[in-house]
Amino acid sequence: MRYVVGIPFLVLVVALAWGALTGRVRAQGCCAAADPARDLRMRDAVRPTDS
């Protein structure tokens, strides 16, 4: 049973490593960095003060 799960997992890891080494697969995040000026939770932190 461990070979049924282990061999496909090993093939996947080797394929991803080979793709990363050859440049065919790039690791990147799914989310862009948030702009604090547009984030409503941070509006008081980036708002200019008049004093």
Side-chain angles (χ1 to χ4, degrees), residues 21-41:
L21 289 174
T22 60
R24 295 177 187 254
V25 178
R26 290 187 311 167
Q28 59 183 345
C30 63
C31 302
D35 183 12
R38 291 186 176 181
D39 190 356
L40 294 178
R41 296 171 296 174

Side-chain angles (χ1 to χ4, degrees), residues 3-21 25:
Y3 295 115
V4 173
V5 177
I7 290 176
F9 178 74
L10 185 62
V11 168
L12 177 66
V13 169
V14 169
L16 288 175
W18 180 258
L21 289 174
V25 178

